[in-house]
Structure formats: structure tokens, C-alpha cells
Amino acid sequence: MNYQDYLFVGVDTHKNQHTAVVINCFHQKLGVVETHNNPSNFDELIKELETLTPNQETLVFGLEDTQGLGRSLAQWLIKRDYQVKEVNPALTKRERQHSPNPDKSDQVDGEAIANVLLAQWDKLPTIHEDGNHKAIKQLNNHLRGLVKQRTQIKNQLHNLIHQQYPNYEKFFSNPFKVKTALAFWKKFPHPNKLKHYGEKRLQKFLKKQTKNISNDKASKILSLVDKDQEQDVSVRARNKLIVMLIEQLRLINQQLEKIKTELQEAVDNSPYQLTTMPGISYNLAAQFIAEIGNISRFNSANQLARYSGLAPTEHSSGKSSHTSRKKYGCRNLNNAFYMLALQQISTTRNGKPKNPVAYNYYQKKLAEGKYGKSALVCLQRRLVDIIFAMMRDKTAYKLPETPDYDVLNKAG
């Protein structure tokens, strides 16, 4: 690539307006163009940018938010054969911090994006058009949002029900997940509601929710409650809140099941066979696909590791040298590799490793003197190689017969 034949456009994307800053290969700022975030305005954007190309240089683009606010522009550019690179916001922030101009504005951000685009052209992932990936991204984001809402509701229920039933956690194995528990809290938000229920009547109610419930469940619950507690205004308010929150929780659980079904279908329609690897559920596969996108935008596993925040950074001064990992990468993708690593070193109920090769590799790192966290990071880095190979070759995972973990790098 002859950099003098190109102009580098950094675009700071927003809901209503984008700001594009153009620099040449010498990092010289040539101009700024603003446009509304509307495809009908993008033709005019290109025309204004082309006035800044005196020698007919080719325009290349760098955008931070290619799956959110900048998606419409990114896809519009791709359809017209422009090269578009995804710039990690952490790199932009670091570039801006190193700039002599400490201010933060759309133009400053756009120039920082353009400088990162030029300086790290070969390392930045290229954006490609992929409708199914966008569907997985949207479904995955919605799934995460629902899970967050569910956690908030469970925390509220924990606080409210604990005030009514101090020993409530002894009633059910999972007080906010099993069907019987939710039905119980809704019907009996306060012990006083159990006043006219004996063991047989309560057991009948519980059996109606779940037939395989233990025969002594009713007696156990009744032995832990004081049915004669009085209800004041605050108690009655909590009763109403508990019922409302239970209804919300049930609705979110129903929505989650629908989203998971949609996600499974979308993952099956993708060209990747990630679920063939032990420890990768459809939800985790969706997270990998959503954050990685088209694997061809990464030239190597090292580039994917850097994007994931799992590539070591060297620090040296004189004879002293050490490596560390900075939190510059995609945190959602980093978390996905972390969850996968935990699955890989976990064991079944009979103590057998789910992935003996990964487990042995982890134990080897511990034997070398690494702490658990460091050993897990090493495993995460090796898993990057595997996921990259599987997605690049679009093949299924096969557990190596040899105990040598390096064979896993040839997975797929």
C-alpha cells in the first residue's frame, strides 16, 4: 500500500450528526466535513470530501461505532466499495491523550480516529456487510439488556421478600427461578396470607405448580414462618410491589426464551460452527459472532487477540523488560473468552475435565509458577487461536488425541 495515494478520514459518529476529519499520510489535517446521520446526505458528504483530494487520492474511512450510530454510514460506504476500518474507542482515547490539544470535541475526536487509522492501518479490522451478523448483534444486545433487567428485579425481590420472610432462602433451591417459588411469592407475599393454610392445603397448591415437588415442602415452609404477623401500611405496599415484580420477572423470562430461540436460529444460519466446541453454548457463540463479526476483517489470530485485549504489551527500559496486558480491547469479547476459559477447565460431576487438553494446559501453567488468573489469561490467549481458526476455516471443533495443547492451534 502506497500511503501517499490515500487520504485517511476519521469519522466521529453521533445520533444526529457525523463529523469527518481528513488527514494525509503525513498526519497533516486537510479539512473537516459535517453531515447529518441520514443516508440521503451521504452523497453530499463524499462530494465535499473529494474536494480535499487535489491529487485524486483514494478516501479510506475509520469509524468507532460501526454497529451502532455509525452503522448506516459504514454499510453505505461498503456498498460503494470504500474501505472502512473499525477503530477501537480505547485507541482513540489514548491518541487524544497524547495530543498537544487536551480539549475534547467532535473535530478533535475525528482527528484522533484518523491518526489511529493511519498509524495502525494494517492492525485495524476491516468492516464487511453481513445482515445475519447484524441480527445476532441486535438479539445479543437485547438479551444482555433483559438479563440486566432480570438481575435488577431479583435484587429488588431479595430486599422486599427478606423483610417479609427472613428465612425465605430455605424455602426453595432457587427462590427466583423455579416456577413453584414465583407462584408462591405471588400468592403469599406475606406470611399472614398463609393464615388459613395447613400442610395439606399448601402442599396441594405447591403440587399444582410442580408435580415432582417433595412431600415435606409445605411442612418445611410452615415451620419457618409466623402466620400471625400483622400487616401495616408498609407491609401492604411491599405485598403489592412483590406481586408486580413477580409479574415483570415472568414476562422477562418469557421474552428471554423467545430471544434465545431467535438467537439459536441466527447462530445456526451463520457459517461458523462454534457450538461444536465444549463449553460454547448458543448464547456464548452468539456473543463471539456479535463481537467478532466477519472473521476476514482480522488478518491473524494475533490481531484478534489484540482486539480482544489479550495480546501482551512489552515494557522495557535498559536491561529490564516485562510484559503486561492493557484493557484497550473489546471488553465484551474479552469476557466471552474468559467465560469460555472457565468452561474449558471445569469438570463434570464425576470429576472428569470437560476438555482434558485445555485442563492439562492450565495445570501446566500453574505448575510453572503462574497464579490462577495469569494461567487463565494464557489459556484465553490460546483459545483466541482456536476460535480464529474455526471461524476462518468455517469448520467444527475436534478434540486432539494428543495431550500437547499446541495441537489445538490447528483446530478446525
Side-chain angles (χ1 to χ4, degrees):
M1 176 179 178
N2 187 352
Y3 285 81
Q4 295 186 14
D5 295 333
Y6 294 86
L7 292 184
F8 300 83
V9 186
V11 185
D12 186 35
T13 59
H14 291 280
K15 181 178 180 180
N16 299 317
Q17 179 177 291
H18 299 331
T19 300
V21 178
V22 185
I23 66 172
N24 60 20
C25 63
F26 303 108
H27 291 274
Q28 295 174 325
K29 183 178 176 181
L30 302 181
V32 179
V33 179
E34 295 184 343
T35 181
H36 292 291
N37 184 11
N38 190 321
S40 63
N41 297 100
F42 294 161
D43 276 319
E44 187 63 29
L45 168 67
I46 296 299
K47 290 179 181 179
E48 291 190 46
L49 292 174
E50 287 176 344
T51 63
L52 303 173
T53 59
N55 300 314
Q56 303 300 310
E57 295 94 342
T58 300
L59 296 170
V60 291
F61 294 81
L63 285 76
E64 282 186 342
D65 193 8
T66 58
Q67 298 302 325
L69 299 176
R71 174 175 168 75
S72 60
L73 176 59
Q75 297 301 312
W76 188 92
L77 292 169
I78 291 170
K79 289 180 179 179
R80 286 153 183 80
D81 297 325
Y82 287 98
Q83 290 192 70
V84 182
K85 295 277 190 173
E86 182 173 0
V87 179
N88 192 310
L91 298 177
T92 304
K93 181 179 180 180
R94 184 168 56 173
E95 174 67 26
R96 189 173 60 248
Q97 289 174 339
H98 293 169
S99 170
N101 183 359
D103 298 334
K104 187 184 186 308
S105 66
D106 294 346
Q107 291 191 25
V108 171
D109 287 347
E111 186 173 359
I113 295 170
N115 283 317
V116 173
L117 176 66
L118 170 57
Q120 304 198 36
W121 174 261
D122 291 330
K123 297 179 180 179
L124 296 175
T126 301
I127 306 303
H128 298 275
E129 186 177 11
D130 187 347
N132 191 62
H133 165 253
K134 177 59 178 177
I136 293 176
K137 182 81 172 182
Q138 291 174 328
L139 290 168
N140 187 63
N141 287 343
H142 191 56
L143 177 70
R144 284 163 48 195
L146 288 174
V147 170
K148 185 177 181 179
Q149 291 180 42
R150 183 174 65 178
T151 300
Q152 292 174 339
I153 291 175
K154 285 183 177 181
N155 290 337
Q156 290 177 277
L157 282 170
H158 168 80
N159 180 51
L160 293 171
I161 293 178
H162 184 267
Q163 296 181 59
Q164 315 280 66
Y165 295 95
N167 298 316
Y168 82 93
E169 292 181 329
K170 297 180 180 180
F171 292 9
F172 305 98
S173 58
N174 193 322
F176 302 127
K177 186 175 181 179
V178 296
K179 177 183 176 182
T180 308
L182 294 180
F184 180 86
W185 305 131
K186 184 175 181 180
K187 188 170 182 63
F188 310 107
H190 187 269
N192 187 269
K193 301 288 185 179
L194 288 163
K195 199 165 187 177
H196 302 293
Y197 276 75
E199 289 185 16
K200 290 184 177 180
R201 188 180 180 190
L202 181 57
Q203 188 69 23
K204 182 179 180 181
F205 169 80
L206 297 174
K207 284 279 187 181
K208 188 176 180 180
Q209 313 306 319
T210 305
K211 293 183 179 180
N212 60 352
I213 197 166
S214 60
N215 294 326
D216 63 341
K217 178 62 69 176
S219 61
K220 181 179 180 180
I221 292 175
L222 292 175
S223 68
L224 296 170
V225 303
D226 178 9
K227 295 190 289 185
D228 295 324
Q229 291 184 47
E230 295 184 0
Q231 300 186 65
D232 57 17
V233 176
S234 65
V235 169
R236 288 192 289 272
R238 283 198 295 271
N239 291 346
K240 293 178 181 178
L241 289 174
I242 289 172
V243 172
M244 286 190 291
L245 288 172
I246 291 295
E247 291 175 350
Q248 291 180 32
L249 187 58
R250 283 176 167 174
L251 179 60
I252 288 178
N253 286 337
Q254 292 172 4
Q255 292 177 342
L256 280 171
E257 290 303 315
K258 292 180 181 179
I259 292 294
K260 289 177 181 179
T261 300
E262 293 288 336
L263 260 181
Q264 179 173 339
E265 182 178 345
V267 169
D268 286 337
N269 288 335
S270 75
Y272 308 121
Q273 303 180 54
L274 296 180
T275 54
T276 59
M277 185 176 186
I280 299 187
S281 62
Y282 276 101
N283 289 355
L284 190 55
Q287 191 170 343
F288 277 118
I289 297 172
E291 301 301 337
I292 295 175
N294 192 319
I295 193 63
S296 62
R297 67 194 184 103
F298 297 97
N299 296 325
S300 65
N302 287 336
Q303 191 180 43
L304 178 58
R306 180 180 176 82
Y307 180 75
S308 308
L310 291 169
T313 302
E314 182 177 351
H315 299 270
S316 60
S317 178
K319 295 182 179 181
S320 175
S321 177
H322 70 277
T323 59
S324 63
R325 287 174 175 81
K326 300 295 184 181
K327 294 183 179 181
Y328 291 140
C330 174
R331 303 319 299 166
N332 290 333
L333 185 55
N334 187 287
N335 180 69
F337 279 112
Y338 174 75
M339 297 304 297
L340 177 57
L342 291 180
Q343 288 290 331
Q344 293 289 294
I345 63 174
S346 63
T347 57
T348 60
R349 291 183 178 180
N350 59 8
K352 183 179 180 181
K354 292 182 179 179
N355 189 328
V357 182
Y359 181 83
N360 291 339
Y361 175 83
Y362 177 73
Q363 294 299 325
K364 175 185 175 183
K365 291 299 177 182
L366 292 177
E368 292 175 357
K370 292 187 178 295
Y371 292 106
K373 185 176 180 180
S374 297
L376 197 64
V377 171
C378 292
L379 176 58
Q380 287 177 257
R381 179 59 186 87
R382 297 279 69 81
L383 291 172
V384 171
D385 295 338
I386 301 170
I387 296 298
F388 177 80
M390 290 177 65
M391 294 182 72
R392 178 197 61 198
D393 301 333
K394 298 179 177 60
T395 51
Y397 176 83
K398 293 182 180 179
L399 186 67
E401 297 179 0
T402 171
D404 184 357
Y405 189 80
D406 290 336
V407 177
L408 283 177
N409 294 336
K410 300 179 182 179

